[in-house]
Short mmCIF file of all heavy atoms in Angstrom, two decimals:
data_model
loop_
_atom_site.label_atom_id
_atom_site.label_comp_id
_atom_site.label_asym_id
_atom_site.label_seq_id
_atom_site.Cartn_x
_atom_site.Cartn_y
_atom_site.Cartn_z
N LEU A 230 124.44 119.63 116.60
CA LEU A 230 123.88 118.89 117.73
C LEU A 230 124.40 119.42 119.06
O LEU A 230 123.66 119.56 120.03
CB LEU A 230 124.22 117.41 117.60
CG LEU A 230 123.44 116.61 116.54
CD1 LEU A 230 124.07 115.23 116.33
CD2 LEU A 230 121.98 116.47 116.94
N GLN A 231 125.69 119.72 119.10
CA GLN A 231 126.29 120.19 120.34
C GLN A 231 125.89 121.63 120.66
O GLN A 231 125.71 121.99 121.83
CB GLN A 231 127.82 120.08 120.25
CG GLN A 231 128.32 118.65 120.24
CD GLN A 231 129.83 118.56 120.17
OE1 GLN A 231 130.54 119.57 120.20
NE2 GLN A 231 130.35 117.35 120.09
N THR A 232 125.74 122.45 119.62
CA THR A 232 125.41 123.86 119.84
C THR A 232 123.94 124.05 120.17
O THR A 232 123.59 124.94 120.96
CB THR A 232 125.76 124.68 118.57
OG1 THR A 232 127.14 124.43 118.22
CG2 THR A 232 125.57 126.17 118.82
N TYR A 233 123.08 123.22 119.59
CA TYR A 233 121.63 123.37 119.80
C TYR A 233 121.05 122.05 120.30
O TYR A 233 120.30 121.37 119.57
CB TYR A 233 120.95 123.81 118.51
CG TYR A 233 121.57 125.05 117.90
CD1 TYR A 233 122.33 124.96 116.73
CD2 TYR A 233 121.40 126.31 118.48
CE1 TYR A 233 122.91 126.09 116.17
CE2 TYR A 233 121.98 127.43 117.93
CZ TYR A 233 122.73 127.32 116.77
OH TYR A 233 123.31 128.45 116.22
N PRO A 234 121.37 121.64 121.50
CA PRO A 234 120.87 120.35 122.03
C PRO A 234 119.35 120.35 122.12
O PRO A 234 118.73 121.36 122.43
CB PRO A 234 121.52 120.27 123.42
CG PRO A 234 121.84 121.69 123.78
CD PRO A 234 122.18 122.38 122.50
N GLY A 235 118.78 119.20 121.81
CA GLY A 235 117.32 119.07 121.90
C GLY A 235 116.59 119.45 120.64
O GLY A 235 115.37 119.23 120.55
N GLU A 236 117.29 120.02 119.64
CA GLU A 236 116.64 120.40 118.39
C GLU A 236 116.74 119.26 117.38
O GLU A 236 117.82 118.75 117.10
CB GLU A 236 117.30 121.65 117.80
CG GLU A 236 117.04 122.92 118.58
CD GLU A 236 115.61 123.45 118.38
OE1 GLU A 236 114.84 122.85 117.62
OE2 GLU A 236 115.27 124.47 119.02
N ASP A 237 115.61 118.86 116.85
CA ASP A 237 115.56 117.80 115.84
C ASP A 237 115.76 118.43 114.46
O ASP A 237 115.19 119.49 114.16
CB ASP A 237 114.20 117.10 115.91
CG ASP A 237 114.17 115.84 115.06
OD1 ASP A 237 115.25 115.33 114.71
OD2 ASP A 237 113.06 115.37 114.75
N PHE A 238 116.57 117.79 113.62
CA PHE A 238 116.81 118.33 112.28
C PHE A 238 117.39 117.25 111.38
O PHE A 238 117.86 116.21 111.83
CB PHE A 238 117.79 119.52 112.35
CG PHE A 238 119.19 119.14 112.74
CD1 PHE A 238 120.15 118.85 111.78
CD2 PHE A 238 119.56 119.05 114.08
CE1 PHE A 238 121.44 118.49 112.13
CE2 PHE A 238 120.85 118.68 114.45
CZ PHE A 238 121.80 118.40 113.47
N GLU A 239 117.34 117.52 110.09
CA GLU A 239 118.02 116.71 109.08
C GLU A 239 118.70 117.65 108.09
O GLU A 239 118.20 118.75 107.84
CB GLU A 239 117.03 115.81 108.32
CG GLU A 239 116.57 114.61 109.10
CD GLU A 239 115.69 113.69 108.27
OE1 GLU A 239 115.25 114.12 107.17
OE2 GLU A 239 115.44 112.56 108.69
N LEU A 240 119.81 117.21 107.52
CA LEU A 240 120.53 117.99 106.53
C LEU A 240 120.37 117.34 105.16
O LEU A 240 120.41 116.12 105.04
CB LEU A 240 122.02 118.08 106.88
CG LEU A 240 122.38 118.74 108.21
CD1 LEU A 240 123.90 118.74 108.40
CD2 LEU A 240 121.84 120.17 108.28
N ARG A 241 120.20 118.19 104.14
CA ARG A 241 120.14 117.73 102.75
C ARG A 241 121.11 118.56 101.91
O ARG A 241 121.24 119.77 102.11
CB ARG A 241 118.73 117.87 102.17
CG ARG A 241 117.71 116.92 102.76
CD ARG A 241 116.39 116.99 102.02
NE ARG A 241 115.66 118.22 102.28
CZ ARG A 241 115.45 119.18 101.41
NH1 ARG A 241 115.97 119.10 100.18
NH2 ARG A 241 114.75 120.25 101.73
N ASP A 242 121.75 117.92 100.95
CA ASP A 242 122.65 118.63 100.05
C ASP A 242 121.86 119.55 99.13
O ASP A 242 120.82 119.16 98.58
CB ASP A 242 123.44 117.65 99.19
CG ASP A 242 124.38 116.80 100.02
OD1 ASP A 242 124.82 117.26 101.08
OD2 ASP A 242 124.67 115.66 99.60
N ARG A 243 122.36 120.78 98.94
CA ARG A 243 121.79 121.65 97.91
C ARG A 243 122.82 121.99 96.84
O ARG A 243 122.50 121.99 95.66
CB ARG A 243 121.24 122.95 98.53
CG ARG A 243 120.52 123.82 97.50
CD ARG A 243 119.82 124.99 98.14
NE ARG A 243 120.71 125.99 98.68
CZ ARG A 243 121.30 126.94 97.94
NH1 ARG A 243 121.10 127.00 96.64
NH2 ARG A 243 122.09 127.83 98.52
N CYS A 244 124.06 122.25 97.23
CA CYS A 244 125.11 122.52 96.25
C CYS A 244 126.46 122.36 96.94
O CYS A 244 126.54 122.23 98.16
CB CYS A 244 124.97 123.92 95.66
SG CYS A 244 125.13 125.26 96.86
N GLY A 245 127.50 122.39 96.14
CA GLY A 245 128.84 122.27 96.70
C GLY A 245 129.90 122.60 95.67
O GLY A 245 129.66 122.59 94.47
N SER A 246 131.10 122.91 96.17
CA SER A 246 132.23 123.23 95.31
C SER A 246 133.51 122.95 96.09
O SER A 246 133.46 122.41 97.21
CB SER A 246 132.18 124.69 94.87
OG SER A 246 132.44 125.55 95.98
N TRP A 247 134.65 123.34 95.55
CA TRP A 247 135.91 123.17 96.26
C TRP A 247 135.97 124.06 97.49
O TRP A 247 136.71 123.79 98.44
CB TRP A 247 137.09 123.49 95.34
CG TRP A 247 137.33 122.44 94.31
CD1 TRP A 247 137.04 122.53 92.98
CD2 TRP A 247 137.89 121.14 94.52
NE1 TRP A 247 137.39 121.36 92.34
CE2 TRP A 247 137.91 120.50 93.27
CE3 TRP A 247 138.37 120.46 95.64
CZ2 TRP A 247 138.41 119.19 93.11
CZ3 TRP A 247 138.86 119.17 95.48
CH2 TRP A 247 138.88 118.56 94.23
N THR A 248 135.20 125.13 97.50
CA THR A 248 135.34 126.12 98.58
C THR A 248 134.18 126.18 99.55
O THR A 248 134.29 126.79 100.61
CB THR A 248 135.54 127.52 97.98
OG1 THR A 248 134.39 127.86 97.17
CG2 THR A 248 136.79 127.58 97.13
N GLU A 249 133.03 125.56 99.21
CA GLU A 249 131.88 125.66 100.11
C GLU A 249 130.89 124.53 99.91
O GLU A 249 130.86 123.88 98.85
CB GLU A 249 131.18 127.02 99.93
CG GLU A 249 130.62 127.25 98.53
CD GLU A 249 130.05 128.64 98.36
OE1 GLU A 249 130.54 129.58 99.01
OE2 GLU A 249 129.10 128.78 97.56
N LEU A 250 130.10 124.30 100.94
CA LEU A 250 129.01 123.33 100.89
C LEU A 250 127.71 124.06 101.24
O LEU A 250 127.66 124.81 102.22
CB LEU A 250 129.23 122.20 101.90
CG LEU A 250 130.43 121.29 101.70
CD1 LEU A 250 130.51 120.28 102.86
CD2 LEU A 250 130.34 120.56 100.37
N CYS A 251 126.67 123.82 100.47
CA CYS A 251 125.35 124.41 100.75
C CYS A 251 124.44 123.30 101.27
O CYS A 251 124.29 122.27 100.62
CB CYS A 251 124.74 125.02 99.50
SG CYS A 251 125.82 126.16 98.63
N GLN A 252 123.84 123.52 102.43
CA GLN A 252 122.99 122.53 103.06
C GLN A 252 121.60 123.10 103.34
O GLN A 252 121.46 124.25 103.77
CB GLN A 252 123.61 122.06 104.38
CG GLN A 252 124.93 121.35 104.22
CD GLN A 252 124.77 119.94 103.68
OE1 GLN A 252 124.17 119.08 104.32
NE2 GLN A 252 125.27 119.70 102.47
N THR A 253 120.59 122.27 103.10
CA THR A 253 119.23 122.60 103.51
C THR A 253 118.96 121.92 104.84
O THR A 253 119.26 120.73 105.02
CB THR A 253 118.21 122.12 102.47
OG1 THR A 253 118.45 122.79 101.23
CG2 THR A 253 116.78 122.41 102.93
N VAL A 254 118.40 122.68 105.78
CA VAL A 254 118.11 122.15 107.11
C VAL A 254 116.60 121.98 107.25
O VAL A 254 115.85 122.96 107.22
CB VAL A 254 118.62 123.09 108.22
CG1 VAL A 254 118.45 122.43 109.59
CG2 VAL A 254 120.06 123.49 107.98
N ASN A 255 116.14 120.74 107.40
CA ASN A 255 114.75 120.47 107.74
C ASN A 255 114.65 120.49 109.26
O ASN A 255 115.36 119.73 109.93
CB ASN A 255 114.30 119.10 107.22
CG ASN A 255 114.46 118.98 105.72
OD1 ASN A 255 115.44 118.45 105.25
ND2 ASN A 255 113.50 119.48 104.99
N CYS A 256 113.77 121.33 109.80
CA CYS A 256 113.77 121.50 111.25
C CYS A 256 112.50 122.23 111.69
O CYS A 256 111.61 122.52 110.87
CB CYS A 256 114.99 122.29 111.71
SG CYS A 256 115.05 123.98 111.05
N ASN A 257 112.43 122.56 112.98
CA ASN A 257 111.38 123.42 113.50
C ASN A 257 111.87 124.85 113.53
O ASN A 257 113.08 125.13 113.52
CB ASN A 257 110.97 122.95 114.90
CG ASN A 257 110.29 121.59 114.86
OD1 ASN A 257 109.53 121.28 113.94
ND2 ASN A 257 110.59 120.76 115.85
N LYS A 258 110.95 125.79 113.59
CA LYS A 258 111.30 127.20 113.52
C LYS A 258 112.20 127.63 114.67
O LYS A 258 113.01 128.55 114.54
CB LYS A 258 110.04 128.07 113.49
CG LYS A 258 110.30 129.53 113.15
CD LYS A 258 109.00 130.29 112.97
CE LYS A 258 109.28 131.72 112.52
NZ LYS A 258 110.03 132.49 113.52
N SER A 259 112.08 126.94 115.80
CA SER A 259 112.90 127.30 116.96
C SER A 259 114.38 127.19 116.65
O SER A 259 115.19 128.00 117.14
CB SER A 259 112.54 126.42 118.15
OG SER A 259 112.68 125.04 117.82
N LEU A 260 114.79 126.20 115.84
CA LEU A 260 116.19 126.09 115.46
C LEU A 260 116.59 127.20 114.49
O LEU A 260 117.65 127.81 114.63
CB LEU A 260 116.47 124.72 114.83
CG LEU A 260 117.91 124.51 114.31
CD1 LEU A 260 118.93 124.72 115.43
CD2 LEU A 260 118.06 123.13 113.69
N SER A 261 115.73 127.46 113.52
CA SER A 261 116.03 128.53 112.55
C SER A 261 116.21 129.88 113.24
O SER A 261 117.10 130.65 112.89
CB SER A 261 114.91 128.62 111.51
OG SER A 261 115.11 129.71 110.63
#
Side-chain angles (χ1 to χ4, degrees):
L230 286 169
Q231 291 181 3
T232 306
Y233 307 108
E236 290 285 359
D237 190 18
F238 68 93
E239 284 185 347
L240 299 180
R241 291 187 288 111
D242 295 332
R243 186 172 69 81
C244 62
S246 69
W247 287 106
T248 60
E249 61 185 31
L250 296 177
C251 308
Q252 296 285 296
T253 298
V254 187
N255 302 97
C256 63
N257 293 322
K258 191 173 185 297
S259 56
L260 176 58
S261 175

